[in-house]
Amino acid sequence: MNQLPQAGLTYKRLSDVLVAKNLITSEKAKEIVLRQMGSGESEEEIILEMRLVSDVDFVKSKAEFLRVPFVDLTTIGFAPEALALVPQSVAEKYTVVPYKMDPKDKSLWVAMSNPLDLETVEFLEKKTSLKIKTVMAEAKQINSFIREKYEREKGITTEVTKALDERKVDDIKVENEKRRRVSAEAPIAKIVTTMLEYAFKSRASDIHIEPMEDNVRIRYRIDGILQEKYVLPRNVLEAVVSRVKILSNLKIDEKRVPQDGRFNFSVDGNEVDLRISTLPVSYGEKVVMRLLRKAQKVPSLPDLGLRGLALKNLVEAIERPHGIIIVCGPTGSGKTTTLYSVLDKVATPKVNVVTIEDPVEYQMKGVNQVQVNVQAGLTFASALRSFLRQDPNIIMVGEIRDTETAELAINASLTGHLVFSTLHTNDASGAPPRMLDMGVEPFLLTSALTCVVAQRVLRRICLECVAQTEMTAEIEKELRDTLGPIYEMVTDKWKKEGKAMTVPKPVGCEKCNNTGYFGRIAIYEVMPITERIAKLIVEKASAAAIQRQAMEEGMLTMKQDGYVKVLEGVTTMEEVLRVAQY
């Protein structure tokens, strides 16, 4: 989104903006002025040389000083038809990047490191025959954008241009069969294929095709965060959606109700299963595609982020022959992945493992996996009843959604089976009260429940570009207050080496797409059901009372586990607070 300078504010110096934005002190601004008077250097050169502010803050402040809009290229998508108007050689020579086009007023939005360069603007207007609207962006971001978009997105840029030039999709009033042919033709098919290939190569878990008033926004969920990548013209929406519907065997003429489907796709020899969901929204049909990689390796428990006492307690629980282990967290918190890692550990030729899932996300060798089919009457509860006649040793129930499933899972664990399942609660201590609310008897729950795990997933810091910043007094206080005695144990290495304590800071590079993060890791709290906790459950104690007891017995909360990972240089405090502050 473009950030416009504040109306009515004028500044005599760039340093005045930095002071107004609390980026430097008034004393430092005076120092800059005195140095400029003595050396003859420009104010800009002095600020950059002294490294008083980050590159992004400097460019934002400069944009405000010059009274031009600022844009952060890492947070916006680009219009392929805009990119096609300016060759890569021109973009590199003038450090400019076209990212948006408005056909109504025949204008082209261009990000520049120097938006007041009128010669370049005039040249671009002659070359494109469009009115050029300039915004300011960081030069490093522009160069990275040029490399990424021109090199990696040639396919979609070319095909969108073809789709617009060769056929006016919005002018074609067709019946279903003709719409089917249009969507299968080369440009539209190539657009969809390029979207899918990019999603696989960028490690995306979901693709969102979202119709807006003037265009179509394409976003990818990468490392748990949605990132806008493309902005397509409105008049290719219908053909693109029809193409996706055809691939997933959905009704292309039904636009009034949501539809669900799936299809397979191959990228560089890798099979990907896609779950498709369509939804009628204000400006058309929105499509979400979930990518499930069939050959994906199941990570080990330590790879996921489990360690220390938490890992020990979970391993002890899964090594028992019976009982129920519950993994808690909201949607998208990695619960299913943790259960697959547990199953991978316990699934041996000596045991019979059966699962009921919605959907089956990983294909696991030696495990009998069943997909929920509500239309056929195959639910979590009905499958669980059938499992007990299949001579199982280990049962995984994808989710406990109702009283019936909860009671069946408890009974299965009490009759000598090891049961794994998931539950939607915020933390581990909230699981027992939630089960009691479902109608499970307290004495049955304490007899069956052996361990509760709660988790969140956050982004790992990118090791290629990570910077270390000295820990401020404010950060140290927050870490010390949250971690308590653990803080001294974790920071002991710095004290022994006599080094200043630091925390990682994301920077951004080509590998991580300028986000500063690459990959994900989970933070956990693992609560074994001890005698004292079982007594609290029978007494129907609150979640807070259960959590206090668990912490007295050595349990780390998710926030504490996250802060330990910050001190170990794995992630940042911002990430921990983003997912674990509730």
Side-chain angles (χ1 to χ4, degrees):
M1 182 182 291
N2 295 355
Q3 295 185 8
L4 296 172
Q6 297 180 50
L9 291 179
T10 56
Y11 299 97
K12 291 183 178 180
R13 296 176 173 276
L14 177 56
S15 54
D16 294 338
V17 183
L18 300 178
V19 172
K21 295 167 77 71
N22 294 318
L23 294 171
I24 64 172
T25 62
S26 300
E27 289 73 21
K28 190 62 72 175
K30 290 175 184 175
E31 184 184 329
I32 293 169
V33 173
L34 290 172
R35 181 170 165 179
Q36 186 181 9
M37 292 170 63
S39 67
E41 294 175 276
S42 71
E43 185 183 32
E44 194 172 312
E45 288 173 336
I46 294 169
I47 294 168
L48 289 172
E49 187 182 328
M50 294 174 72
R51 301 189 65 82
L52 297 174
V53 294
S54 68
D55 292 343
V56 174
D57 283 335
F58 176 79
V59 177
K60 279 183 181 178
S61 301
K62 186 178 175 183
E64 191 165 330
F65 177 61
L66 297 175
R67 301 188 62 76
V68 296
F70 167 84
V71 68
D72 183 350
L73 293 176
T74 64
T75 63
I76 64 167
F78 78 99
E81 70 273 24
L83 204 68
L85 293 170
V86 179
Q88 183 175 355
S89 57
V90 173
E92 288 174 342
K93 181 178 179 181
Y94 295 101
T95 319
V96 301
V97 61
Y99 66 94
K100 186 170 73 172
M101 191 176 90
D102 188 345
K104 291 179 183 177
D105 65 356
K106 295 183 178 180
S107 61
L108 179 68
W109 290 81
V110 178
M112 304 174 65
S113 59
N114 180 14
L116 302 183
D117 183 353
L118 299 181
E119 286 186 16
T120 299
V121 172
E122 186 179 350
F123 169 76
L124 291 173
E125 285 184 339
K126 286 181 180 178
K127 186 165 187 64
T128 62
S129 300
L130 295 170
K131 181 183 177 183
I132 301 298
K133 294 185 177 180
T134 61
V135 298
M136 191 168 189
E138 188 188 351
K140 186 174 77 171
Q141 282 190 4
I142 292 174
N143 290 324
S144 177
F145 195 99
I146 291 169
R147 283 195 304 272
E148 180 189 356
K149 302 308 178 188
Y150 279 99
E151 294 299 328
R152 295 172 65 179
E153 320 299 350
K154 280 179 182 174
I156 199 162
T157 301
T158 305
E159 300 308 326
V160 167
T161 306
K162 282 184 185 176
L164 293 172
D165 290 344
E166 294 176 10
R167 45 191 336 112
K168 302 297 181 183
V169 180
D170 58 343
D171 293 336
I172 301 174
K173 308 301 181 184
V174 293
E175 297 302 322
N176 292 342
E177 195 53 45
K178 192 169 182 183
R179 188 184 296 120
R180 186 183 298 273
R181 288 202 306 274
V182 169
S183 67
E185 288 178 7
I188 298 300
K190 183 64 177 176
I191 289 171
V192 175
T193 300
T194 306
M195 278 184 204
L196 296 174
E197 288 176 348
Y198 181 84
F200 179 83
K201 290 173 182 175
S202 61
R203 305 171 294 106
S205 60
D206 302 84
I207 307 170
H208 290 236
I209 302 173
E210 300 172 300
M212 314 296 282
E213 185 176 4
D214 300 318
N215 51 47
V216 182
R217 181 169 66 175
I218 310 298
R219 294 194 291 173
Y220 292 84
R221 190 175 293 280
I222 302 171
D223 292 334
I225 304 293
L226 278 172
Q227 299 177 20
E228 188 176 331
K229 292 296 179 184
Y230 312 131
V231 179
L232 302 181
R234 275 281 310 177
N235 53 6
V236 300
L237 172 65
E238 187 175 323
V240 168
V241 173
S242 293
R243 177 62 180 164
V244 174
K245 283 184 173 182
I246 290 163
L247 290 170
S248 46
N249 292 317
L250 300 179
K251 297 176 181 177
I252 60 174
D253 59 330
E254 181 55 84
K255 302 177 182 181
R256 299 165 299 170
V257 297
Q259 296 187 70
D260 296 306
R262 64 193 311 157
F263 67 92
N264 292 336
F265 184 74
S266 181
V267 183
D268 299 332
N270 297 288
E271 284 291 319
V272 182
D273 187 21
L274 289 109
R275 283 165 48 206
I276 311 301
S277 173
T278 68
L279 181 72
V281 294
S282 299
Y283 298 110
E285 280 186 285
K286 174 178 177 178
V287 179
V288 174
M289 296 186 272
R290 165 67 58 88
L291 282 77
L292 304 171
R293 292 159 178 78
K294 289 187 174 181
Q296 190 166 332
K297 183 179 178 290
V298 177
S300 68
L301 293 174
D303 288 342
L304 292 177
L306 275 160
R307 61 192 67 188
L309 184 62
L311 178 60
K312 178 177 176 288
N313 286 335
L314 180 56
V315 170
E316 284 180 357
I318 65 180
E319 286 177 347
R320 295 182 185 182
H322 54 80
I324 182 167
I325 297 168
I326 294 178
V327 182
C328 306
T331 302
S333 60
K335 302 186 298 295
T336 305
T337 303
T338 296
L339 285 180
Y340 278 131
S341 298
V342 170
L343 287 181
D344 192 53
K345 187 175 178 63
V346 299
T348 68
K350 295 180 180 180
V351 294
N352 178 23
V353 183
V354 287
T355 74
I356 174 70
E357 305 170 53
D358 185 21
V360 175
E361 294 188 19
Y362 296 88
Q363 299 288 345
M364 297 189 68
K365 289 183 180 179
V367 176
N368 303 288
Q369 296 172 273
V370 179
Q371 167 92 34
V372 165
N373 188 339
V374 178
Q375 291 179 337
L378 184 58
T379 63
F380 285 117
S382 64
L384 197 45
R385 284 197 201 89
S386 300
F387 285 175
L388 297 176
R389 297 190 290 273
Q390 286 283 317
D391 186 30
N393 298 99
I394 298 167
I395 298 171
M396 187 186 100
V397 183
E399 185 184 339
I400 294 176
R401 293 179 179 172
D402 51 43
T403 301
E404 185 182 13
T405 308
E407 289 177 345
L408 286 167
I410 293 290
N411 290 331
S413 66
L414 291 172
T415 52
H417 304 92
L418 183 59
V419 180
F420 301 105
S421 191
T422 69
L423 197 63
H424 286 287
T425 62
N426 281 334
D427 50 25
S429 58
R434 178 79 180 93
M435 295 285 282
L436 295 177
D437 287 344
M438 286 183 176
V440 177
E441 292 293 339
F443 69 92
L444 289 177
L445 183 59
T446 54
S447 300
L449 192 61
T450 57
C451 187
V452 182
V453 179
Q455 68 178 91
R456 298 288 188 279
V457 175
L458 42 71
R459 294 180 291 174
R460 284 178 178 268
I461 198 82
C462 176
L463 297 179
E464 294 289 322
C465 61
V466 61
Q468 295 292 334
T469 59
E470 196 167 331
M471 193 183 296
T472 63
E474 185 182 357
I475 291 174
E476 184 178 0
K477 184 179 184 304
E478 167 69 11
L479 291 169
R480 193 183 289 276
D481 291 347
T482 303
L483 292 175
I486 304 165
Y487 178 81
E488 300 296 337
M489 295 167 57
V490 179
T491 58
D492 192 48
K493 63 175 183 178
W494 279 300
K495 293 172 185 174
K496 286 181 178 177
E497 295 172 3
K499 293 181 179 177
M501 290 189 288
T502 60
V503 289
K505 177 186 176 183
V507 176
C509 63
E510 194 169 346
K511 179 184 175 183
C512 63
N513 196 25
N514 286 308
T515 61
Y517 297 95
F518 188 85
R520 292 198 282 176
I521 194 167
I523 53 176
Y524 289 92
E525 54 187 43
V526 178
M527 185 179 78
I529 306 303
T530 61
E531 286 185 21
R532 291 183 178 180
I533 291 175
K535 184 181 178 184
L536 289 173
I537 294 171
V538 171
E539 294 170 353
K540 297 187 177 181
S542 66
I546 293 172
Q547 184 179 59
R548 280 195 300 272
Q549 182 59 45
M551 290 177 70
E552 284 178 17
E553 296 178 10
M555 182 190 82
L556 288 184
T557 65
M558 286 180 284
K559 190 174 181 181
Q560 288 176 325
D561 187 33
Y563 279 176
V564 170
K565 289 180 169 73
V566 170
L567 291 170
E568 291 174 345
V570 176
T571 188
T572 63
M573 287 187 69
E574 292 80 7
E575 275 297 288
V576 176
L577 294 173
R578 180 177 66 85
V579 302
Q581 185 80 310
Y582 53 86

